[in-house]
Amino acid sequence: RLHGIVNSTADLAGLRVAVVQDTATADALSRMRVKYRTVPSAKAGFEALGKGTIDAFAYDRPILAWMIGKGGLNAELSEVTFDPQDYAIALRDDSALRKQLNVALLQTAESEWWKDVLFRYLGQTGD
């Protein structure tokens, strides 16, 4: 429950922060010189939050949103995002699938179905 406490990544400097070990989140916090401790899993991070041994748990936003929403966890997801990551699908330049895949991805991203999925699992609409 960090509502109002973490409004930027700079706010993490004064908190007891945990991240899942060997993740991109740990790398990002190291680059930002934010002190943190590691936990072996997201579940362990939420357990540490519940016990009060940490003040904040940083990890992949979609996973956190899903765990909070589906797991009934007593936690609040901050709006702060750092080190956003994009995903890609690699195809050869001459692949016949390139155009079909691009069109399908764009159509899906604009569809009501996709917005419903984002809201159901991540609590966001994609707009």
Side-chain angles (χ1 to χ4, degrees):
R1 294 200 171 270
L2 295 173
H3 187 66
I5 295 174
V6 178
N7 297 306
S8 71
T9 54
D11 294 335
L12 293 174
L15 300 174
R16 297 172 299 165
V17 179
V19 300
V20 176
Q21 63 192 11
D22 301 322
T23 60
T25 306
D27 293 342
L29 290 182
S30 291
R31 284 191 308 276
M32 292 186 291
R33 300 178 192 252
V34 172
K35 291 182 183 181
Y36 61 87
R37 71 177 236 202
T38 60
V39 292
S41 66
K43 181 181 177 190
F46 280 109
E47 288 171 356
L49 267 179
K51 292 177 186 174
T53 58
I54 61 171
D55 301 312
F57 176 51
Y59 194 43
D60 288 354
R61 183 177 188 81
I63 295 170
L64 292 175
W66 184 83
M67 290 183 76
I68 290 169
K70 294 299 178 190
L73 298 168
N74 189 19
E76 198 170 302
L77 192 59
S78 171
E79 292 300 320
V80 174
T81 301
F82 55 93
D83 198 31
Q85 299 172 350
D86 295 319
Y87 296 89
I89 299 171
L91 297 172
R92 292 182 3 192
D93 286 337
D94 62 348
S95 174
L97 296 176
R98 179 178 300 276
K99 184 175 181 179
Q100 292 173 319
L101 187 56
N102 284 339
V103 169
L105 287 170
L106 288 171
Q107 288 173 336
T108 299
E110 294 175 0
S111 72
E112 288 303 313
W113 171 84
W114 182 245
K115 291 175 185 176
D116 290 343
V117 168
L118 288 176
F119 184 77
R120 185 171 52 246
Y121 291 104
L122 306 178
Q124 63 191 42
T125 62
D127 291 334

